[in-house]
Amino acid sequence: MHLYVALWVCGTALALLLGWQQRKCWRLIWQLNGWRGVAQQPILWFLLCINLHPNSILERVTQMRKYFQRPLAILVGTRVLVYIDDPAGMESILNAPECLDKTFMQEGFFAKRGLLHARGQKWKLRRKQLNPAFSHNIVASFFDVFNAVGNQMVEQFASQPHLHGRAVKFTDAEDMLSRAVLEVSCLTVMGTPTNFTQTDDAHIASSYKRLLEISAIRVVKPWLQIDLLHRLLAPELYAEAEKCNQLLVEFVAGIVQSKHRNWQLRTALSEGAGEDSTAWQRRIFIEQIFQLAANGELTLQEIEDEAQSMVLVSFETVSNSIMLALLCLATHKGDCQQRLRAEIASVFPGQGQGSTPDAPHVGLEQLQQLRYLDAFVSEALRLLATVPMNLRHVSRDFQLPGREAVVPQNSIIVLDTFNMQREEEWWGDNAKQFDPQRFLDQDDQPDQSPEGEDISGSSIPKTNGQQKQQKQQRRHSYSFLPFSKGLRSCIGV
Ligand code: HEM
């Protein structure tokens, strides 16, 4: 009898303690969703998503979200997870100093010691230190690299018969393209020619890709964030991750250390001769931050970490974005392909006719004229976002702008860019269709999309300028976030 009483007292005490700990979470759920939020709490959402393969998560969330009132808050243990898929919500989170950090679910990420995963004050300082390395002039100075590798890639494609005709495999094209992008990343970040466009015998590109896949698996199975559990529960995955990790750490460390030795030597010699490094060297990412090591602001290890993180983010995002754009091009042959061909032919007259053997040089000036191409890429990134979801950790209680709701410290925020960018409410009735025209100015081309129609009911026809203004007014500036926005937006654009 005494035992039952003791158990009952302990159980009640535990339940009270848990309830007390969760009080702020319940208040938020109530403030956001009222009774409906409370009724939706059997953490159905969470249970349906956890443990899925990363490739299935987006599909599942897309199916489920329409049954829930949003923004949605659900309880996960003693924390609350807030799911946001509207532009105003995104704007408030992405600009809140309380939501700067990444979550514990991203702890198992590869290359997590660089800027991408830095927290709090360390992130602020690091971002300030690295920002100058991404100035417009520096990025523009790399056009020769983009052209050289691009031309090499075209030659490679031309010389591989299995990449021609109808039976081209997506994975074969992806492999070659990702190797070319990795070569550009290594050239721009570390100033090192790698020849990856031709061959990658050491499997560097595929190791980057595999480590990212494993990192994504660890996000959806958060218990694998704990090294011991990862080793015990998924030994093969663990061993594979370790092997890839070691290969890539050695690859980057070898280059950075040898470049650093050269830099020190050059600096010592040029100080004596009163010379400075060449323009080529000055624009390379690590060459720019070696000076920070010399001033004692960064250690060599930190430079290796930043180089690793930059190679990874630039390689993965750019190669995936190009593949997604090519996928859209392949599946929307008609009008899009014709318009792209016509635009390219008008900016590079005489090319592709066999009249000029040399490849054209693509510079900033030409890119600015390729407006349909720009709209085409934007539309591909809208429909198939390269970074479909972002996660944020809440470092202290904060109030959602324009609402009573207070998001408690330690909450997890999920920002669903993928679904927001395909939502009719923000993108009109044809939101799910591929239509680059929506990104072009009204005065440039007659708009066939529903967004061009007069929705005011007025019988006075609108001028192009008015239509454009109306369109921009209707589209929230945070409804298109391929590179994120706010405090922690992409440094590379
Ligand atoms: C099409 C190409 C790219 C896309 C779609 C893209 C997208 C993004 C997005 C969505 C974020 C925010 C991630 C988050 O909040 O969790 C981000 C951050 C970042 N990107 Fe990019 N990115 C691209 C290219 C690049 C390139 C070329 C570089 C570097 C050379 C780069 C470097 C970074 C870094 C360092 C961050 C972290 C910034 C910080 O936390 O302060 N990205 N990118």
Side-chain angles (χ1 to χ4, degrees):
M1 183 67 184
H2 288 311
L3 183 68
Y4 286 125
V5 173
L7 281 177
W8 186 84
V9 171
C10 285
T12 312
L14 269 176
L16 285 174
L17 188 71
L18 193 66
W20 176 252
Q21 279 198 323
Q22 293 178 337
R23 70 195 183 286
K24 288 186 178 175
C25 306
W26 283 110
R27 192 184 313 137
L28 174 68
I29 289 165
W30 178 259
Q31 285 170 328
L32 281 182
N33 308 114
W35 278 115
R36 199 170 159 183
V38 176
Q40 282 172 348
Q41 276 315 299
I43 59 168
L44 192 61
W45 171 275
F46 183 67
L47 291 177
L48 287 174
C49 284
I50 201 76
N51 207 16
L52 277 182
H53 190 273
N55 293 350
S56 317
I57 284 269
L58 260 187
E59 203 183 328
R60 181 65 59 84
V61 171
T62 306
Q63 286 163 356
M64 287 185 344
R65 62 195 275 275
K66 46 183 180 282
Y67 300 111
F68 292 84
Q69 186 179 327
R70 304 171 318 260
L72 168 77
I74 57 162
L75 208 57
V76 184
T78 55
R79 297 174 186 220
V80 72
L81 183 149
V82 185
Y83 170 86
I84 291 180
D85 61 357
D86 69 291
M90 300 262 178
E91 183 171 12
S92 56
I93 299 299
L94 292 172
N95 289 291
E98 297 86 354
C99 304
L100 267 177
D101 294 341
K102 304 288 160 84
T103 65
F104 72 93
M105 290 158 83
Q106 287 142 297
E107 273 300 299
F109 243 80
F110 166 61
K112 70 169 199 293
R113 290 196 301 237
L115 178 71
L116 184 66
H117 290 278
R119 289 172 159 256
Q121 286 305 318
K122 182 181 164 197
W123 169 79
K124 254 190 201 160
L125 176 65
R126 194 56 62 80
R127 177 98 191 196
K128 211 167 142 194
Q129 288 169 325
L130 301 186
N131 259 337
F134 292 89
S135 73
H136 175 77
N137 286 347
I138 297 218
V139 176
S141 76
F142 280 116
F143 269 87
D144 52 351
V145 171
F146 305 149
N147 275 281
V149 178
N151 291 336
Q152 256 185 50
M153 191 178 68
V154 171
E155 277 169 28
Q156 277 286 105
F157 266 114
S159 68
Q160 309 276 325
H162 69 290
L163 291 175
H164 297 266
R166 290 178 162 269
V168 177
K169 282 199 199 132
F170 190 75
T171 43
D172 287 343
E174 188 187 21
D175 171 58
M176 182 179 291
L177 188 116
S178 61
R179 283 189 281 114
V181 174
L182 183 58
E183 180 160 6
V184 172
S185 297
C186 292
L187 278 166
T188 52
V189 174
M190 304 188 290
T192 304
T194 53
N195 206 25
F196 284 144
T197 310
Q198 310 275 347
T199 172
D200 177 19
D201 296 334
H203 306 292
I204 301 290
S206 52
S207 298
Y208 272 115
K209 283 206 166 287
R210 187 60 190 138
L211 263 185
L212 277 165
E213 281 162 16
I214 297 176
S215 300
I217 293 174
R218 294 179 78 185
V219 171
V220 291
K221 298 177 191 237
W223 51 92
L224 296 183
Q225 307 288 339
I226 303 164
D227 243 33
L228 184 67
L229 289 183
H230 190 194
R231 194 187 289 228
L232 287 175
L233 298 177
E236 282 173 20
L237 202 67
Y238 182 82
E240 198 185 352
E242 284 292 287
K243 195 172 150 210
C244 294
N245 193 39
Q246 195 183 349
L247 177 74
L248 299 180
V249 167
E250 280 170 11
F251 167 67
V252 167
I255 296 178
V256 172
Q257 286 166 15
S258 113
K259 287 269 164 185
H260 188 234
R261 278 194 298 275
N262 286 345
W263 182 85
Q264 284 175 315
L265 209 65
R266 241 180 21 241
T267 314
L269 287 175
S270 60
E271 264 170 16
E275 286 168 6
D276 201 358
S277 16
T278 63
W280 158 257
Q281 282 148 353
R282 274 199 306 273
R283 63 191 178 156
I284 303 298
F285 175 73
I286 52 172
E287 297 267 347
Q288 294 183 63
I289 57 174
F290 281 153
Q291 192 54 50
L292 297 174
N295 301 344
E297 292 176 54
L298 285 183
T299 63
L300 190 58
Q301 180 61 55
E302 284 170 331
I303 294 187
E304 283 173 27
D305 295 340
E306 288 305 341
Q308 186 66 274
S309 167
M310 283 306 162
V311 170
L312 174 81
V313 283
S314 55
F315 157 62
E316 194 250 349
T317 51
V318 174
S319 60
N320 284 347
S321 302
I322 299 177
M323 278 318 287
L324 293 176
L326 289 179
L327 192 64
C328 292
L329 187 61
T331 48
H332 295 87
K333 295 191 179 97
D335 186 38
C336 282
Q337 289 194 10
Q338 273 166 22
R339 282 188 73 177
L340 275 178
R341 273 179 193 277
E343 185 180 75
I344 291 168
S346 74
V347 175
F348 300 99
Q351 294 292 333
Q353 325 275 319
S355 54
T356 38
D358 296 333
H361 178 85
V362 183
L364 201 56
E365 199 185 313
Q366 286 82 5
L367 271 193
Q368 278 161 352
Q369 293 171 48
L370 293 164
R371 297 193 52 223
Y372 187 74
L373 176 66
D374 190 51
F376 176 84
V377 173
S378 295
E379 180 66 347
L381 293 180
R382 179 189 73 82
L383 214 53
L384 300 171
T386 317
V387 183
M389 283 193 185
N390 277 329
L391 300 177
R392 289 285 193 269
H393 167 87
V394 177
S395 58
R396 50 172 197 274
D397 293 7
F398 86 103
Q399 189 164 4
L400 281 174
R403 290 177 184 264
E404 250 185 67
V406 174
V407 183
Q409 186 180 19
N410 289 333
S411 300
I412 303 158
I413 311 253
V414 176
L415 302 171
D416 184 353
T417 312
F418 177 81
N419 279 302
M420 177 186 71
Q421 291 188 168
R422 329 174 108 228
E423 184 65 76
E424 273 99 15
E425 195 173 344
W426 324 114
W427 293 93
D429 294 342
N430 69 345
K432 302 224 168 33
Q433 285 163 26
F434 185 78
D435 177 20
Q437 182 63 40
R438 70 177 90 235
F439 282 98
L440 289 173
D441 287 344
Q442 290 286 300
D443 14 63
D444 203 33
Q445 298 277 341
D447 193 345
Q448 303 301 317
S449 71
E451 287 187 300
E453 290 166 18
D454 184 3
I455 56 159
S456 66
S458 159
S459 56
I460 305 164
K462 293 219 177 305
T463 62
N464 281 344
Q466 280 170 325
Q467 282 180 3
K468 187 177 159 193
Q469 199 183 3
Q470 189 182 58
K471 190 172 171 178
Q472 281 168 350
Q473 273 168 3
R474 274 205 291 153
R475 197 175 290 155
H476 193 291
S477 62
Y478 277 69
S479 58
F480 182 56
L481 297 175
F483 305 101
S484 189
K485 266 191 182 165
L487 299 172
R488 219 168 165 162
S489 61
C490 178
I491 203 171
V493 290

